């Protein structure tokens, strides 16, 4: 499958890994929008949040179990933002489900 994040998970494309377990991979965004900008992805390919259902939703729990560990590791003791862009109107550019963790500064209030 021609998926950028599947290739990153497989190690075929290099990434700056910050966390990995059996189900989840996390790495630094190549174009950071905040002092800390990490992408958290399920190791299985799911194209977007709109394709979550009862059969695959366990990966969401695994991702959200990983996020506090990643935040602690990154020193985000004063909070952070979790973002998921979904589909065309959500401006999702990489079609492998991912959550952005942004932090390390006071983030803008505007959510678009
Ligand atoms: P989206 O716009 O789909 O929510 O977010 C995709 C994110 O992936 C963007 O923030 C972009 O900077 C990041 N990105 C795109 N290509 C690469 C890459 O090859 N490596 C890394 N680490 N991040 C990437
Ligand atoms: Zn993929």
């Amino acid at each position: 499958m021609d998926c950028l994040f599947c290739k990153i998970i497989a190690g075929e494309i290099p990434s700056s890994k910050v966390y990995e377990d059996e189900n989840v991979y996390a790495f630094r965004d190549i174009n950071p929008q905040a002092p800390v900008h990490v992408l958290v992805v399920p190791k299985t390919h799911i194209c977007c949040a709109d394709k979550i259902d009862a059969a695959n939703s366990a990966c969401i729990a695994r991702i959200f179990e990983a996020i506090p560990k990643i935040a602690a590791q990154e020193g985000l003791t004063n909070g952070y933002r979790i973002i998921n862009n979904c589909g065309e109107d959500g401006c999702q550019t990489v079609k492998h489900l991912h959550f952005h963790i942004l932090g390390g500064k006071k983030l803008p209030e505007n959510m678009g």
Side-chain angles (χ1 to χ4, degrees), residues 1-78:
M1 190 188 304
D2 193 27
C3 170
L4 175 64
F5 287 175
C6 281
K7 288 177 181 163
I8 284 178
I9 294 160
E12 293 164 15
I13 292 174
S15 65
S16 178
K17 179 170 89 173
V18 300
Y19 176 88
E20 182 174 16
D21 64 31
E22 192 183 340
N23 302 291
V24 176
Y25 189 79
F27 54 103
R28 298 196 191 286
D29 197 292
I30 206 167
N31 183 23
Q33 304 297 310
V36 174
H37 188 169
V38 172
L39 301 174
V40 191
V41 305
K43 285 189 172 176
T44 54
H45 181 87
I46 299 168
C47 74
C48 65
D50 194 54
K51 299 300 181 201
I52 296 298
D53 58 24
N56 64 18
S57 62
C59 80
I60 302 299
R62 301 292 91 80
I63 285 170
F64 276 78
E65 288 161 14
I67 285 173
K69 299 178 191 173
I70 296 164
Q73 195 179 299
E74 294 295 316
L76 301 179
T77 55
N78 204 37

